[in-house]
Amino acid sequence: MSDDNGSVNESQPERPEFRPAEVVSKEACEAAFLSGDPEKIEEALIDGARCLENAWAVEAAMRFMAHEDPNIRWAAVFALDFARDEIASRLEEDFEVVFKLGRLALDDSDSGVRSMAVTTLIDFVGLLSRRAANRK
């Protein structure tokens, strides 16, 4: 990434470029998670969130939200953005996901992770607002 002066900012890892989702199985994602390979974990979180059920995405993301690799934390938050409906349905019993997103948005050491967490929280609040408006 470049700053306003055109110099490369080494402290911010690059985020994955958009690519079409690949269809993955839970088993393939779990194998990627167990591999310990950061790139495989990141791709499994992103692809799994796009093609597996939302409940899976929430559970997988929760496993990696505190990972030391900022790209993996970013992918975990990205996965949660796909699972907004699942998070909303759990709110009465479990506020942990929203709390962790808030902590990442405020305190993560990586600006890209903070930005993705804020985006996910905004998307989530928008979903809740639309649901509330539809109940009227």
Side-chain angles (χ1 to χ4, degrees):
M1 297 187 145
S2 299
D3 63 16
D4 293 337
N5 300 323
S7 62
V8 174
N9 182 350
E10 297 295 331
S11 66
Q12 293 186 9
E14 291 188 31
R15 299 300 170 225
E17 291 184 27
F18 179 78
R19 61 179 174 73
E22 293 191 26
V23 177
V24 294
S25 67
K26 291 178 189 177
E27 294 78 15
C29 289
E30 189 61 33
F33 296 160
L34 293 174
S35 77
D37 181 325
E39 189 173 319
K40 288 181 181 179
I41 295 169
E42 179 183 359
E43 288 180 0
L45 285 165
I46 291 169
D47 290 336
R50 290 173 167 175
C51 69
L52 297 173
E53 65 272 0
N54 288 338
W56 177 90
V58 171
E59 297 308 317
M62 294 296 286
R63 288 172 63 181
F64 292 100
M65 286 178 73
H67 197 277
E68 71 256 3
D69 186 310
N71 287 338
I72 292 174
R73 291 193 309 274
W74 186 94
V77 176
F78 177 90
L80 290 174
D81 200 29
F82 271 79
R84 292 186 298 268
D85 285 325
E86 179 69 19
I87 297 167
S89 69
R90 295 179 181 197
L91 269 183
E92 288 185 19
E93 296 120 29
D94 185 8
F95 197 71
E96 182 181 12
V97 175
V98 176
F99 176 75
K100 285 186 173 186
L101 278 170
R103 297 297 300 171
L104 288 175
L106 291 172
D107 295 333
D108 196 86
S109 61
D110 183 81
S111 64
V113 175
R114 288 192 308 271
S115 177
M116 190 67 220
V118 168
T119 297
T120 299
L121 285 168
I122 289 169
D123 291 345
F124 180 66
V125 169
L127 169 76
L128 293 177
S129 296
R130 287 186 298 281
R131 283 186 174 187
N134 289 336
R135 288 186 193 151
K136 291 181 180 180

